[in-house]
Amino acid sequence: MPDFLPLSPSAVPSNAAPRTWDLFCQVIDNFGDVGVCWRAASELVARGQTVRLWMDDASALQWMAPLPHPPGLTVHPWPASAADVPARVGEVVVEAFGCEIPAPFLQTLAAQAAADRPPVWINLEYLSAEDYVARCHRLPSRLMSGPASGLTRWFFYPGFTADTGGLIAEHDLAARQAAFAARGRSAWRAAHGLQDGDCAISLFCYEPPALPQLLAQLREQTASAQAGWQPQLLTTPGRATAAVAAARQADPRLESLDVHALDTSPQPQFDEMLWACDLNLVRGEDSLVRALWAGQPLVWHIYPQDDNAHHAKLDAFLDWLQAPAALRSFHHAWNGLAPADSLPRLTPGLLREWQACTLAARQKLHAQTDLIAQLLQFVAEKS
């Protein structure tokens, strides 16, 4: 199985002036928006900032980020009236994923801007490898109507190249990975019922069209008892576990496949799962980034859109990744861009090829400035 290779340490700027940030997160579904916003807020605090995280649904934090929260980070319900808004808006206001600032907060922001200095107002956008990201990154948008008319909002795009906003990487990520590597993956695997020789595959997905084909393939490989290749599937709670259950109900032969249903876990433990597995099938934005930092073979289940706009987005990512042919084919079948029966058959050699691809991509990312450092620098420039 592919070895786990931790990141190399890198320097993190620590000279950013302390400021108060108001970060707005409107939960759509699937926890990805919460995951990105919590990681961003936590890392801003770790680098000397104060963050008020405003959420319309903070329930996922009960397991994703249980108490106590880091000093300097507070979570607040979506402001419904002027009484819910602080006396002063922070020096930085961030709308995550284009969510709109609630009207009571916006009115306070506008009044403060008129009497004093406006905050640095940032629209933190979705992650993509498409060409438009570099063109639109850091562009201003002047508001022409409403209580904030005349103020400027800045577009900030995460991305995979040096001309974008980069990706979230905690200042201590390399140290955490190194500590995990020193302990070895055996302890994590043993705690989850796995043997060192097993091929551990994590599944965090929606409902992939080719999931039944993958499960049937893994069942056949388990039955053949191929030396050094005993697939063990670890399913995350929610849609992934439900999708596997539905596939097994439709095909009773799949009941013989070893499936380990995981519990919900805080983000650091989710990262450890990715480090411990030999193949990570991930979904959405936050887990894709974490799988890249893990350096293990990965497959991305991109969020499906009705107009199939996700097709171009997926191919742009695969182009940046320089995905080998089999990895590209697997992605296309997994995401419904190709027939499900075209799903490549997993082998140890294929996973080694895919890991080399992931590690090369991770090395490129590691040489770039991370998202939080870029945000801090941008705010310093605009303040």
Side-chain angles (χ1 to χ4, degrees):
M1 300 304 105
D3 293 328
F4 168 66
L5 299 176
L7 274 169
S8 301
S10 62
V12 175
S14 58
N15 57 350
R19 295 181 173 89
T20 297
W21 297 55
D22 285 305
L23 198 165
F24 287 87
C25 174
Q26 200 162 26
V27 179
I28 306 301
D29 58 8
N30 302 317
F31 312 129
D33 35 28
V34 184
V36 172
C37 290
W38 182 260
R39 288 194 194 270
S42 299
E43 188 57 20
L44 283 166
V45 166
R47 302 193 196 187
Q49 309 301 297
T50 299
V51 179
R52 295 183 293 222
L53 178 58
W54 302 86
M55 303 181 65
D56 62 346
D57 180 4
S59 58
L61 294 183
Q62 295 178 13
W63 53 266
M64 186 183 296
L67 296 171
H69 293 161
L73 198 169
T74 52
V75 179
H76 304 265
W78 207 249
S81 67
D84 302 324
V85 180
R88 285 195 63 82
V89 169
E91 293 99 320
V92 189
V93 175
V94 179
E95 296 174 319
F97 310 120
C99 73
E100 294 186 2
I101 293 177
F105 193 98
L106 188 60
Q107 291 164 358
T108 300
L109 183 157
Q112 182 175 314
D116 195 349
R117 172 181 291 185
V120 180
W121 186 352
I122 295 171
N123 185 351
L124 183 62
E125 279 287 354
Y126 288 97
L127 173 66
S128 178
E130 294 170 284
D131 292 340
Y132 75 85
V133 169
R135 294 195 303 270
C136 297
H137 179 51
R138 295 172 60 115
L139 287 183
S141 175
R142 193 172 181 83
L143 279 73
M144 305 306 294
S145 61
S149 177
L151 298 182
T152 297
R153 179 170 50 195
W154 299 89
F155 288 94
F156 209 90
Y157 280 85
F160 301 95
T161 55
D163 51 2
T164 69
L167 304 178
I168 296 176
E170 297 89 344
H171 69 286
D172 62 348
L173 178 58
R176 287 171 49 215
Q177 288 189 340
F180 183 83
R183 295 195 302 270
R185 294 195 291 173
S186 298
W188 192 98
R189 288 171 173 253
H192 292 82
L194 305 177
Q195 304 294 323
D196 282 341
D198 293 336
C199 177
I201 302 173
S202 72
L203 182 67
F204 182 50
C205 63
Y206 307 114
E207 293 78 29
L211 178 61
Q213 282 71 21
L214 175 64
L215 298 180
Q217 177 191 132
L218 297 179
R219 182 191 67 83
E220 293 169 6
Q221 291 173 329
T222 300
S224 67
Q226 179 180 345
W229 183 262
Q230 287 298 309
Q232 301 284 333
L233 189 64
L234 289 77
T235 63
T236 54
R239 293 175 69 169
T241 295
V244 170
R248 298 176 88 177
Q249 184 175 17
D251 184 355
R253 293 174 300 175
L254 298 177
E255 289 297 329
S256 61
L257 177 66
D258 287 326
V259 176
H260 306 259
L262 301 176
D263 296 325
T264 54
S265 64
Q267 285 183 330
Q269 280 67 56
F270 180 83
D271 293 343
E272 290 187 350
M273 177 196 71
L274 299 178
W275 303 343
C277 287
D278 301 295
L279 172 63
N280 293 310
L281 307 174
V282 295
R283 77 182 194 204
E285 179 173 325
D286 179 62
S287 63
L288 171 63
V289 174
R290 309 318 297 183
L292 283 167
W293 291 134
Q296 299 295 87
L298 68 91
V299 174
W300 184 26
H301 192 191
I302 191 170
Y303 187 79
Q305 296 173 268
D306 292 336
D307 58 0
N308 288 332
H310 61 293
H311 291 188
K313 185 174 182 178
L314 177 63
D315 278 333
F317 169 72
L318 293 173
D319 290 343
W320 169 81
L321 188 64
Q322 297 182 320
L327 183 56
R328 186 178 290 267
S329 296
F330 198 107
H331 273 89
H332 282 185
W334 193 244
N335 285 276
L337 279 68
D341 58 10
S342 67
L343 191 78
R345 189 175 183 82
L346 296 176
T347 65
L350 209 57
L351 291 190
R352 285 192 291 269
E353 179 187 48
W354 293 2
Q355 185 180 33
C357 173
T358 305
L359 289 173
R362 187 178 74 167
Q363 188 63 29
K364 290 189 296 184
L365 293 170
H366 191 48
Q368 300 169 16
T369 305
D370 68 86
L371 176 67
I372 302 303
Q374 289 204 50
L375 278 171
L376 292 171
Q377 181 180 10
F378 181 81
V379 167
E381 293 172 3
K382 301 303 178 186
S383 294

